[in-house]
Amino acid sequence: MKQKNKQLRKILASIGIVIGISCIVYFFVQKEKGHEPRIKIGNQKVTLDVAVTEQEKMQGLSGRTALCDACGMLFVFDSAMPQTFWMKDMLFDIDVLWIDQNTIVGLQKDISHKRQEKEVFVSSKPADKVVELPAGFIDTHHVWVGQIVDFSDIYSSNDGF
């Protein structure tokens, strides 16, 4: 019985690795083809980097020096739950949208990159997606809780999560 469980774990781990690598390769191929994933918040289109794997989620925007005004990073999770983030190695301030399906369920504005490294911020409601944007985006584009985020460009281009 232990031998079968061990084999099953190895098979599942291998499948997970193959799926993860496939996702990464797919996003690189799409980028090479000139398609970058985009969402629409109100009238504003936002070009995204997408973090799907655990490694991509841990890296996030760490080490980058800035984001363009209409750029962000989308973090995709398997299910809606309270999400926890930190500002490790961040070099600029950000706004954060907590999203469940396609509805904004929470906002955090002007999160300072100078926060203590171990200090975290948590969504007040369950979210299955998180979008990090340049600080000031929420106020500039009048983003609000309850607003719908249009993911149709991602879904229609087969970049779906």
Side-chain angles (χ1 to χ4, degrees):
M1 186 69 169
K2 286 184 181 182
Q3 185 65 22
K4 283 186 179 183
N5 284 341
K6 203 174 203 180
Q7 287 177 329
L8 181 60
R9 279 192 220 129
K10 284 183 180 180
I11 291 170
L12 291 175
S14 297
I15 291 171
I17 290 169
V18 169
I19 290 171
I21 291 171
S22 297
C23 288
I24 292 167
V25 169
Y26 181 78
F27 281 114
F28 279 116
V29 168
Q30 289 301 313
K31 213 168 197 174
E32 289 297 317
K33 288 181 180 177
H35 183 273
E36 294 180 317
R38 290 194 177 125
I39 58 173
K40 192 171 179 186
I41 305 167
N43 292 323
Q44 180 64 48
K45 288 186 178 179
V46 178
T47 301
L48 299 170
D49 286 322
V50 182
V52 178
T53 68
E54 289 306 311
Q55 180 61 35
E56 291 169 333
K57 291 174 190 172
M58 286 181 64
Q59 176 66 35
L61 295 171
S62 295
R64 294 192 192 185
T65 56
L67 279 173
C68 78
D69 291 341
C71 295
M73 178 164 266
L74 171 66
F75 297 81
V76 181
F77 299 93
D78 293 332
S79 61
M81 62 177 52
Q83 303 297 340
T84 303
F85 278 64
W86 61 350
M87 297 293 284
K88 184 175 184 341
D89 299 327
M90 286 293 293
L91 302 174
F92 57 95
D93 300 347
I94 59 172
D95 286 353
V96 174
L97 307 179
W98 309 101
I99 302 168
D100 186 19
Q101 296 184 24
N102 63 348
T103 303
I104 298 172
V105 296
L107 307 168
Q108 284 190 266
K109 300 185 212 178
D110 299 314
I111 300 171
S112 173
H113 71 283
K114 296 177 183 174
R115 296 169 74 109
Q116 294 294 320
E117 189 171 294
K118 294 180 182 175
E119 187 179 354
V120 297
F121 50 103
V122 182
S123 60
S124 60
K125 295 191 176 175
D128 62 359
K129 295 176 208 63
V130 177
V131 177
E132 293 181 341
L133 300 157
F137 185 96
I138 289 172
D139 287 336
T140 300
H141 298 286
H142 311 290
V143 178
W144 69 90
V145 172
Q147 187 172 17
I148 302 300
V149 178
D150 181 354
F151 288 93
S152 62
D153 181 57
I154 293 174
Y155 293 129
S156 65
S157 67
N158 294 320
D159 278 349
F161 320 115

